[in-house]
């Protein structure tokens, strides 16, 4: 008589462990499909707010304090509009091959930091920028490289403790433009490091495990390479090297 196969503890939950990241990925794919329309509507609303505030602040009869408040509204509205422009670039599906051109690494880093301003501020993280003036522009797709930097900074934000530090550096080396993103978190356990670039591998309880996999894929897609070094208790550094123009 053939008995039923015994389910070991290591086998239990395998389906759910695989299904959960896939479910999250599907959810984000759905969100991504509706985001362009939402961004368009938000941008129209912001244009209305900024337009009226800009018109009202020219009224000489307004008190000085109110005019200052309107100045703040216009400034905040313009900043929000810039963020929406960056988001639109990330979520829109390209209709043709990615456009390759000159990309300034420091500009891409600043765009990514602006998109992550809220979590950085909420967790009181200190960002140290070190953009070497001789960093060469690199050849690549600006939208893809923005996504790459966002993935790295998002991971660094999650790894750092509240009040911790993030370091963003750019420089040139041997005909390459180099970007480094570093945090001073707890580091990555050695047993996990060799699997970090596999999809759905994560050390975070709520992570999908796609960030480093996607970042590396985008680096390779743009003719570069991505490397990670980490020490327990001393943080993690990711280095991206891309061909200079």
């Amino acid at each position: 008589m053939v008995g039923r196969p015994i389910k070991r503890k290591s086998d239990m939950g395998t389906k759910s462990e695989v299904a959960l990241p896939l479910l999250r990925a599907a959810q984000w794919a759905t969100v991504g499909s509706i985001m362009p329309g939402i961004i368009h509507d938000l941008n129209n609303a912001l244009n209305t707010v900024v337009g009226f505030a800009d018109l009202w602040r020219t009224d000489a009869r307004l008190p000085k304090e109110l005019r200052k408040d309107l100045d703040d509204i216009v400034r905040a509205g313009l900043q929000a509009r810039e963020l929406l422009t960056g988001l639109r670039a990330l979520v829109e599906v390209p209709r043709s091959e990615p456009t390759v051109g000159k990309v300034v690494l420091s500009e891409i880093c600043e765009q990514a930091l602006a998109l992550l301003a809220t979590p950085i501020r909420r967790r009181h993280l200190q960002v140290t920028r070190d953009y070497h003036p001789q960093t060469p522009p690199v050849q690549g797709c600006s939208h893809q490289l923005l996504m790459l930097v966002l993935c790295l900074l998002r991971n660094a934000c999650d790894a750092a403790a509240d009040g911790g530090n993030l370091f963003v550096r750019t420089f040139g080396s041997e005909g390459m433009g180099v970007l480094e993103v570093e945090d001073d978190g707890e580091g990555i356990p050695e047993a996990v490091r060799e699997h970090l670039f596999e999809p759905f591998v994560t050390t975070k309880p709520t992570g999908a495990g796609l960030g480093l996999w996607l970042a590396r894929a985008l680096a390779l897609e743009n003719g570069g390479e991505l490397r990670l070094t980490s020490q327990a208790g001393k943080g993690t550094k990711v280095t991206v090297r891309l061909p200079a123009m």
Side-chain angles (χ1 to χ4, degrees), residues 89 92-104 108 138-146 218 221-222 245:
E92 285 183 340
V93 178
R95 294 178 174 83
S96 58
E97 289 296 317
T99 301
V100 176
K102 181 173 75 172
V103 179
V104 179
I108 292 292
V138 300
Q139 180 173 307
C141 171
S142 59
H143 293 171
Q144 290 184 352
L145 294 183
L146 175 57
L218 291 173
E221 177 72 17
N222 284 272
M245 291 197 72

Side-chain angles (χ1 to χ4, degrees), residues 1-54:
M1 179 177 178
V2 179
R4 294 182 179 178
I6 299 173
K7 289 186 177 180
R8 298 177 176 84
K9 286 186 178 180
S10 59
D11 296 328
M12 299 297 289
T14 301
K15 289 184 178 179
S16 62
E17 289 171 2
V18 173
L20 186 57
L22 287 172
L23 177 60
R24 291 198 187 103
Q27 289 172 333
W28 279 110
T30 302
V31 171
S33 69
I34 64 174
M35 278 296 287
I38 295 173
I39 291 171
H40 180 268
D41 291 342
L42 284 174
N43 198 54
N44 285 342
L46 276 173
N47 286 337
T48 301
V49 172
V50 171
F52 277 109
D54 191 37

Side-chain angles (χ1 to χ4, degrees), residues 9-239:
K9 286 186 178 180
S10 59
D11 296 328
M12 299 297 289
T14 301
K15 289 184 178 179
S16 62
E17 289 171 2
V18 173
L20 186 57
L22 287 172
L23 177 60
R24 291 198 187 103
Q27 289 172 333
W28 279 110
T30 302
V31 171
S33 69
I34 64 174
M35 278 296 287
I38 295 173
I39 291 171
H40 180 268
D41 291 342
L42 284 174
N43 198 54
N44 285 342
L46 276 173
N47 286 337
T48 301
V49 172
V50 171
F52 277 109
D54 191 37
L55 177 64
W56 291 338
R57 67 177 176 170
T58 60
D59 191 335
R61 298 169 297 176
L62 290 177
K64 183 178 180 180
E65 294 78 9
L66 182 54
R67 195 154 41 240
K68 182 180 180 302
D69 291 340
L70 290 170
D71 289 341
D72 291 340
I73 291 173
V74 171
R75 188 180 304 109
L78 292 175
Q79 290 174 347
R81 196 162 64 185
E82 288 180 6
L83 292 178
L84 287 177
T85 300
L87 283 174
R88 182 187 293 115
L90 290 175
V91 302
E92 285 183 340
V93 178
R95 294 178 174 83
S96 58
E97 289 296 317
T99 301
V100 176
K102 181 173 75 172
V103 179
V104 179
L105 288 176
S106 60
E107 293 179 358
I108 292 292
C109 290
E110 286 302 305
Q111 290 178 40
L113 286 167
L115 290 169
L116 292 172
T118 297
I120 289 173
R121 184 170 56 249
R122 184 187 301 124
R123 300 192 50 222
H124 308 289
L125 301 176
Q126 304 299 314
V127 180
T128 300
R129 298 164 169 86
D130 183 10
Y131 304 141
H132 194 282
Q134 298 303 316
T135 302
V138 300
Q139 180 173 307
C141 171
S142 59
H143 293 171
Q144 290 184 352
L145 294 183
L146 175 57
M147 177 64 78
L148 186 160
V149 179
L150 270 174
C151 289
L152 299 185
L153 283 173
R154 178 75 262 183
N155 278 355
C157 286
D158 291 342
D162 289 353
N165 294 281
L166 304 180
F167 305 90
V168 185
R169 310 180 188 93
T170 67
F171 54 93
S173 174
E174 301 176 343
M176 306 287 278
V178 184
L179 161 71
E180 291 182 346
V181 175
E182 185 176 0
D183 65 75
D184 61 354
E186 288 300 313
I188 301 169
E190 187 174 355
V192 181
R193 288 176 210 162
E194 60 184 275
H195 301 289
L196 274 179
F197 295 107
E198 299 173 11
F200 309 127
V201 174
T202 180
T203 59
K204 297 177 287 187
T206 59
L210 294 172
L212 282 174
W213 171 79
L214 177 58
R216 189 183 195 186
L218 291 173
L220 293 172
E221 177 72 17
N222 284 272
E225 62 180 18
L226 185 151
R227 296 179 180 176
L228 180 147
T229 57
S230 184
Q231 285 185 286
K234 294 187 177 180
T236 300
K237 179 171 70 175
V238 180
T239 302

